Amino acid sequence: MRVLAIETSCDETSVAVIADGVALANVVSTQIKMHAEYGGVVPELATREHARNLLPVAREALRQAGLAAENIDAVAATQGPGLPNALLIGFHAGQSFALSIEKPFIGIHHHEAHLYSPWIRGTPPRAEFEAFEPNISLIVSGGHTLLVHVKGEQQHSVLGGTIDDAAGECFDKTAKLLGLPYPGGPHLDRLAAKGNPATHSFPRPMMHDAGDDFSYSGLKTSVRYFLQNHPEILNDAGKVADLCASVQAAIVEPLVHKLIRAAKRTGVKCVTASGGVTCNSGLRRALEEGCRRNRLQLRLAEPKLCTDNAAMIGILAERKLLRGAAETTVSAEIYPSWDL
Ligand code: KG4
Ligand code: ZN
């Protein structure tokens, strides 16, 4: 089966072509530079950029895959959650394309696709569903922080999520306080690598409570007060590195602690992680150490598949269609629930 998949939920315009679990093409056009000027994603600009870029990105994906429109057997697009108008650009383009080639169309839940991205590997990216294990999955991005129990393929229940800011948002907001460019996560990560995480002890809210939720808004406030009291730190590269390392540890530790605790509680033998924050070197290292100590299998999405991409949408869509999923109707909601 050959699936053309579209992802336009936030600030990445992406089109992939999937054939039998392999991404023949996965073209991603990022809008990061445009939004950086405003210090965050501007929904209206994101929508316009998707409208401008979707056709060239789709043509490039078909070219890379060496296929023509009539060779496509099914079309998929991210249905939600995401920026409503941005989603509609990709969703309606996908429906129209499916109509024109008289092939089925399926809408895909963005988070469900993230859950399966750790099971895609290599060049070209290939789905490894044969290796699938029930797992606890962490989805950490600029918009989401979710802990999900994946009991079987396409069987999941959300255990917890952030009650305020997402982990990526916390990286970006604390980085902004340090004067780093948007998105600050990767910059903070780079500086943290040169610092000592034990220098400052920032709060880890909710880390030891009984639930599976997270809270990140307090950390940003602590960093703001800390900088108000110690503005001189910003003039010392070594002290900035120590501060970054300490902030990063305060973001990463609750994620790793709750992920591993949920795995032990539910008895799964595997944990996975995806979403932009999974690129963070401190998180990757802490997960590797935690899983080794607790004898858990760890599957991290490859960095290029951590961030939003259409390959994860298309691979899940193909899997669903092969398992007999019904076509998504025109009346489908753009904010699908987990029960869809
Ligand atoms: O998944 P993603 O590309 O987009 C959504 O938010 O949906 O994630 C972007 C987020 C941003 O907050 C960015 O700062 C963060 O992922 N991020 C990182 C790193 N790379 C990306 N955060 C910490 N360390 C990184 N290396
Ligand atoms: Zn995402």
Side-chain angles (χ1 to χ4, degrees), residues 72-224:
I72 298 298
D73 301 309
V75 184
T78 304
Q79 187 169 343
L83 303 172
N85 289 335
L87 284 164
L88 283 170
I89 298 283
F91 193 81
H92 285 165
Q95 283 185 322
S96 308
F97 179 50
L99 186 68
S100 72
I101 58 171
E102 297 182 17
K103 292 290 157 63
F105 172 81
I106 184 164
I108 293 292
H109 194 296
H110 184 81
H111 296 158
E112 191 179 0
H114 269 302
L115 292 181
Y116 295 95
S117 57
W119 304 93
I120 308 171
R121 274 193 185 158
T123 311
R126 182 185 160 276
E128 296 182 350
F129 284 111
E130 67 282 1
F132 178 84
E133 277 280 336
N135 61 78
I136 303 292
S137 190
L138 178 69
I139 302 176
V140 263
S141 69
H144 306 284
T145 308
L146 281 176
L147 206 56
V148 183
H149 185 184
V150 188
K151 296 169 193 162
E153 244 197 271
Q154 295 170 45
Q155 266 186 288
H156 17 77
S157 57
V158 177
L159 299 175
T162 180
I163 60 161
D164 40 53
D165 289 355
E169 198 178 350
C170 185
F171 267 112
D172 296 342
K173 286 178 174 171
T174 46
K176 193 173 176 183
L177 294 173
L178 296 169
L180 299 171
Y182 173 87
H187 299 283
L188 201 144
D189 185 0
R190 200 168 25 80
L191 293 171
K194 300 178 207 147
N196 176 2
T199 312
H200 307 286
S201 158
F202 289 112
R204 275 93 164 133
M206 301 180 79
M207 184 154 104
H208 293 293
D209 70 359
D212 292 315
D213 287 333
F214 303 93
S215 168
Y216 281 112
S217 67
L219 176 55
K220 165 197 69 197
T221 312
S222 302
V223 175
R224 177 179 298 127

Side-chain angles (χ1 to χ4, degrees), residues 12 141-143 168 171-172 183 185-186 189 275-277 279-280 306-308:
E12 254 86 51
S141 69
F171 267 112
D172 296 342
D189 185 0
V277 176
C279 294
N280 182 264
C306 277
T307 47
D308 292 344

Side-chain angles (χ1 to χ4, degrees), residues 15 32 34 48 59 72 202 216 218 247 282 311 337:
V15 177
I32 279 186
M34 184 187 73
R48 282 190 229 169
R59 286 201 180 100
I72 298 298
F202 289 112
Y216 281 112
V247 168
S337 74

